[in-house]
Amino acid sequence: MRIIYLGTGGEEGFPSVFCECSACKKVRRMGGKNIKTRSGALIDNVLIDLSPDLFSQSVQNHLSLSGVTHVMITHSHTDHLNTHAIRLRMRELASVLEPGQEKKIKIYGNREVYRVIMDAVSKDCHVTSDRMEFIQIRAFERIRAEGLEFISLKANHKKDEECLLYAVQNETGCLLYANDTGELPEETLDFIRTQKLCFDLVSMDSARGTLPGDGHMGLSENLNLRRRLEEIGAVRENTRYYLNHFSHMCGLTPKEYRRLVGRYGFSLTYDGLKLEIGRGRVCRR
Ligand SMILES: [Zn+2]
Ligand SMILES: [Zn+2]
Ligand SMILES: [Zn+2]
């Protein structure tokens, strides 16, 4: 299973466009892996979320996404649900496909995601409706896509919407992709335990950094989650932990935060990070 972290930042990106906090100022100067676009990932050939930065991410990674026909959406926040990208994929003049390429893109998400997408699509007279199918899902469903199994899990993020996380598995390994969320609901931990999921790679929200968690986690919630996963046997000794969706909130730059979390055995994601899970091992590509 191959993972590309297309974007790894919080809602405002890093540096935040209108922000003069010391972390954003430093990151603007430092550039490189400190720059974080809004979060999303490509797992083999399936996208998790559609970042508002999808255009620059595809350019940066030399990637055409025309062959992607399955997209799993976590929730309706605009840093994860870029309806403009959906409309462009549904326009024949914007997205010319090769002969024989699948025309329809399947998008999976909750009811609110469906409402937001349909609202945007219905106002666009250039889209072709048979280019997109929406599949409404809830937490604790199993979806097969491109040889992978996606298992939707309940997040703890937004009160008025069932936000989702995903466990992704195939015969080579298992990934937990867990942002945007605060501490995981007991229901989700119970499900992981009873379904005997065991992760090779745990990707966790750490938007709050050194601050206490809320609808996002910080370092102390990340340590807690690792402990809980250990207790229920959902991780092994060689499981790798990556902190994701890091933001400027706590005032540290990604470089400073990476150094701090490294002491606890965590790595920090960065835009363009490529990982591979195979035979229970996680390697950088
Ligand atoms: Zn977010
Ligand atoms: Zn800032
Ligand atoms: Zn969110």
Side-chain angles (χ1 to χ4, degrees):
M1 192 191 308
R2 294 174 155 214
I3 299 118
I4 305 179
Y5 282 91
L6 298 172
T8 60
E11 181 177 17
E12 59 289 299
F14 211 159
S16 177
V17 177
F18 302 108
C19 190
E20 293 301 334
C21 79
S22 65
C24 285
K25 277 183 179 164
K26 279 189 214 163
V27 163
R28 235 171 249 130
R29 265 199 319 273
M30 293 156 84
K33 287 178 182 168
N34 290 285
I35 302 287
K36 288 180 170 293
T37 61
R38 273 65 66 87
S39 289
L42 183 66
I43 318 289
D44 285 347
N45 203 29
V46 180
L47 277 168
I48 299 188
D49 286 338
L50 293 167
S51 164
D53 300 309
L54 196 63
F55 167 75
S56 61
Q57 293 167 353
S58 97
V59 172
Q60 280 292 323
N61 290 284
H62 308 279
L63 268 180
S64 162
L65 297 171
S66 69
V68 171
T69 52
H70 295 82
V71 182
M72 320 303 284
I73 301 284
T74 55
H75 64 303
S76 68
H77 276 156
T78 50
D79 54 325
H80 300 267
L81 179 53
N82 174 354
T83 54
H84 188 216
I86 296 172
R87 291 191 289 114
L88 292 174
R89 177 60 177 73
M90 292 174 72
R91 290 187 196 171
E92 286 179 0
L93 286 177
S95 301
V96 179
L97 301 175
E98 299 267 25
Q101 267 192 306
E102 176 58 49
K103 270 198 193 168
K104 189 183 281 177
I105 189 163
K106 290 186 174 174
I107 302 179
Y108 301 77
N110 67 29
R111 194 192 330 179
E112 180 60 9
V113 169
Y114 177 67
R115 193 194 63 73
V116 172
I117 291 177
M118 293 322 286
D119 185 52
V121 166
S122 66
K123 291 174 187 148
D124 188 335
C125 59
H126 302 291
V127 301
T128 306
S129 61
D130 68 358
R131 276 193 160 217
M132 191 269 287
E133 179 184 349
F134 187 85
I135 297 106
Q136 196 171 307
I137 56 169
R138 303 209 51 185
F140 312 119
E141 286 189 37
R142 291 172 184 262
I143 303 119
R144 292 215 64 91
E146 303 274 6
L148 298 171
E149 183 180 48
F150 285 77
I151 305 171
S152 55
L153 303 170
K154 195 178 277 187
N156 160 22
H157 184 53
K158 204 169 170 270
K159 294 282 167 272
D160 55 351
E161 175 181 341
E162 188 183 63
C163 301
L164 301 174
L165 315 169
Y166 292 100
V168 191
Q169 60 182 358
N170 66 4
E171 60 289 344
T172 68
C174 190
L175 152 74
L176 175 63
Y177 187 84
N179 58 264
D180 299 23
T181 186
E183 293 215 75
L184 295 196
E186 287 303 318
E187 230 182 318
T188 292
L189 290 165
D190 271 353
F191 180 87
I192 291 171
R193 183 177 53 80
T194 55
Q195 298 296 308
K196 297 190 168 52
L197 298 180
C198 189
F199 305 114
D200 303 294
L201 173 59
V202 175
S203 179
M204 297 187 247
D205 187 305
S206 201
R208 300 280 296 160
T210 53
L211 299 175
D214 47 18
H216 290 281
M217 290 191 267
L219 179 55
S220 70
E221 289 75 26
N222 298 143
L223 288 164
N224 237 347
L225 177 56
R226 180 170 64 187
R227 188 178 51 76
R228 295 296 307 273
L229 292 174
E230 284 167 355
E231 282 168 5
I232 61 174
V235 289
R236 312 175 225 278
E237 212 161 294
N238 61 350
T239 296
R240 297 286 303 272
Y241 299 86
Y242 276 85
L243 306 189
N244 193 33
H245 202 285
F246 179 59
S247 82
H248 68 154
M249 270 189 278
C250 75
L252 294 182
T253 64
K255 190 178 176 185
E256 290 162 340
Y257 195 53
R258 180 169 57 86
R259 204 173 299 146
L260 170 66
V261 302
R263 289 188 222 137
Y264 298 90
F266 294 140
S267 303
L268 187 65
T269 57
Y270 55 86
D271 286 21
L273 170 65
K274 295 186 177 75
L275 299 175
E276 181 155 4
I277 308 178
R279 282 182 246 106
R281 287 189 56 220
V282 179
C283 315
R284 240 186 256 187
R285 292 197 275 132

